[in-house]
């Protein structure tokens, strides 16, 4: 008989990074607020959490991140101005962000790595499993990765990590998983994790991407975890301990994702994400693709 585990309702979004790869744009603007077409990247992530049934969202922020809070708050002056103009379409877009979810915020303070950022969520999460979504990874809403991860966690317990196959020469850029197959083609049992392994030392070509569903046992492990690679507290190191001994917090599974993912933390991928999403928009796509074909033809 399949065991039932607590329903997940809380999502944690670490958003305290400095965004140095996008300087000078991020000198005064949080990287999470950079637009992907006409919507900030962070809104796509919150929408993904809500679509998966996680309506309680905690954002881990830092200094100069106040625009994140403002974006998901009401803007009565703007709404009033749009109402007076009779601009119902733009008014709806403005109100969508403030009506998405129940938003909470806590400051990380000292930027000590992803593991430390997740640990900041402990008082809010308590003893319930929860999801972690990294703001640099946008998952296409037509490929419901997080919902699948929640399904596996609620059935199997423990923690679930999103994995993606990458070329062997790219694996050093990611955390990497050693795995065993299961009866389900897209689900593996994780037996070990390595943070950004050197070339030739990776246990597989399965890279960790920015979605996790975690057992609360991870908090006690993070409290004891010493700084690792880069002098930061690595979430991967804590998950390695969980993978080694499932008595600590249940098994660790991975969902191998083969859908559409956009990395907005990299400048080149950020530009590609904008082009792809713009091409698929009904209101922008036809004219934009016509121009894009013409531009590419001229350049070639």
């Amino acid at each position: 008989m399949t065991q039932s585990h607590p329903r997940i309702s809380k999502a944690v979004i670490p958003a305290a990074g400095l965004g140095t790869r996008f300087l000078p744009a991020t000198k005064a603007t949080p990287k999470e607020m950079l637009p992907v077409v006409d919507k900030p990247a962070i809104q796509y992530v919150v929408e993904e959490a809500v679509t998966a049934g996680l309506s309680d969202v905690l954002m881990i922020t830092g200094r100069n991140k106040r625009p994140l809070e403002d974006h998901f708050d009401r803007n009565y002056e703007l709404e009033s101005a749009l109402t007076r103009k009779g601009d119902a379409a733009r008014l709806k877009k403005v109100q969508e962000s403030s009506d998405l979810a129940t938003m909470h915020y806590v400051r990380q303070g000292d930027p000590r790595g992803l593991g430390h950022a997740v640990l900041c969520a402990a008082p809010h999460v308590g003893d319930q499993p929860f999801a972690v979504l990294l703001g640099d990874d946008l998952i296409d809403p037509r490929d419901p990765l997080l919902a699948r991860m929640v399904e596996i966690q609620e059935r199997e317990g423990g923690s679930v990590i999103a994995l993606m196959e990458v070329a062997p020469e790219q694996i050093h850029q990611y955390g990497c998983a050693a795995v065993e197959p299961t009866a389900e083609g897209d689900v593996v049992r994780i037996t070990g994790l390595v943070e950004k392994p050197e070339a030739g030392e990776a246990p597989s070509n399965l890279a960790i991407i920015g979605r996790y569903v975690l057992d609360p046992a991870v908090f006690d492990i993070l409290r004891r975890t010493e700084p690792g690679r880069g002098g930061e507290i690595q979430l991967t190191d804590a998950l390695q301990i969980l993978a080694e001994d499932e008595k600590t917090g249940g098994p660790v599974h991975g969902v191998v994702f083969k859908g559409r993912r956009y990395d907005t933390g990299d400048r080149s991928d950020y530009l590609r994400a904008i082009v792809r999403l713009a091409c698929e928009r009904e209101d922008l796509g036809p004219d934009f693709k016509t121009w894009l074909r013409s531009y590419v033809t001229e350049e070639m």
Side-chain angles (χ1 to χ4, degrees):
M1 182 176 178
T2 301
Q3 185 178 0
S4 178
H5 295 272
R7 173 66 188 168
I8 299 170
S9 63
K10 294 181 178 180
V12 175
I13 303 178
L18 298 176
T20 52
R21 286 182 289 180
F22 279 85
L23 286 170
T26 50
K27 179 180 178 181
T29 301
K31 66 174 181 175
E32 297 83 5
M33 289 300 296
L34 295 178
V36 180
V37 188
D38 55 2
K39 189 163 58 177
I42 193 68
Q43 185 170 332
Y44 289 88
V45 179
V46 174
E47 288 173 349
E48 180 188 351
V50 172
T51 299
L54 313 182
S55 57
D56 185 316
V57 177
L58 173 68
M59 203 168 289
I60 312 298
T61 67
R63 294 182 65 245
N64 301 324
K65 298 285 184 168
R66 181 61 184 271
L68 293 171
E69 299 183 35
D70 290 341
H71 179 71
F72 293 101
D73 198 359
R74 298 290 299 273
N75 187 326
Y76 293 102
E77 294 83 356
L78 178 57
E79 292 177 29
S80 178
L82 293 172
T83 300
R84 289 195 302 270
K85 292 180 179 180
D87 195 339
R90 287 190 174 88
L91 177 62
K92 181 181 179 181
K93 289 183 177 181
V94 168
Q95 292 175 332
E96 280 177 354
S97 59
S98 56
D99 295 336
L100 267 176
T102 302
M103 301 295 298
H104 309 271
Y105 304 90
V106 64
R107 283 198 175 192
Q108 184 177 3
D110 188 15
R112 297 168 58 196
L114 177 58
H116 181 258
V118 171
L119 185 56
C120 291
H124 181 78
V125 169
D127 60 356
Q128 297 297 310
F130 62 104
V132 175
L133 298 85
L134 303 191
D136 288 346
D137 277 333
L138 302 191
I139 304 298
D140 194 292
R142 294 166 294 183
D143 302 313
L145 169 62
L146 186 59
R148 175 64 168 154
M149 295 173 67
V150 168
E151 174 193 348
I152 298 301
Q153 198 284 333
E154 290 180 347
R155 188 185 71 202
E156 304 290 344
S159 299
V160 182
I161 301 171
L163 303 173
M164 180 183 69
E165 293 182 358
V166 301
E169 61 270 19
Q170 295 178 335
I171 195 66
H172 70 279
Q173 301 173 16
Y174 299 87
C176 178
V179 303
E180 296 175 348
T182 71
E184 297 175 272
D186 65 330
V187 179
V188 293
R189 185 73 169 262
I190 293 178
T191 59
L193 295 162
V194 182
E195 179 65 22
K196 296 183 178 179
E198 298 295 333
E201 297 181 3
S204 74
N205 70 330
L206 291 175
I208 302 169
I209 58 175
R211 297 295 181 269
Y212 309 81
V213 179
L214 301 178
D215 187 274
V218 75
F219 292 132
D220 283 339
I221 297 173
L222 285 170
R223 292 185 183 101
R224 304 192 303 268
T225 300
E226 295 294 327
R229 191 179 182 95
E232 297 181 335
I233 297 175
Q234 298 290 346
L235 179 60
T236 303
D237 293 342
L239 293 174
Q240 166 66 19
I241 294 174
L242 289 177
E244 288 175 344
D245 181 11
E246 68 177 65
K247 294 180 181 179
T248 303
V252 180
H253 286 90
V255 171
V256 182
F257 181 62
K258 297 184 181 293
R260 288 155 286 201
R261 167 183 175 259
Y262 312 106
D263 181 1
T264 60
D266 175 84
R267 290 175 298 175
S268 294
D269 280 352
Y270 171 74
L271 294 174
R272 283 190 282 268
I274 293 173
V275 171
R276 289 171 184 163
L277 292 173
C279 285
E280 295 173 0
R281 288 267 294 261
E282 292 183 1
D283 58 336
L284 297 172
D287 288 343
F288 182 66
K289 284 188 285 188
T290 298
W291 172 85
L292 189 59
R293 290 190 191 100
S294 175
Y295 176 76
V296 171
T297 300
E298 292 174 2
E299 289 299 304
M300 291 179 65

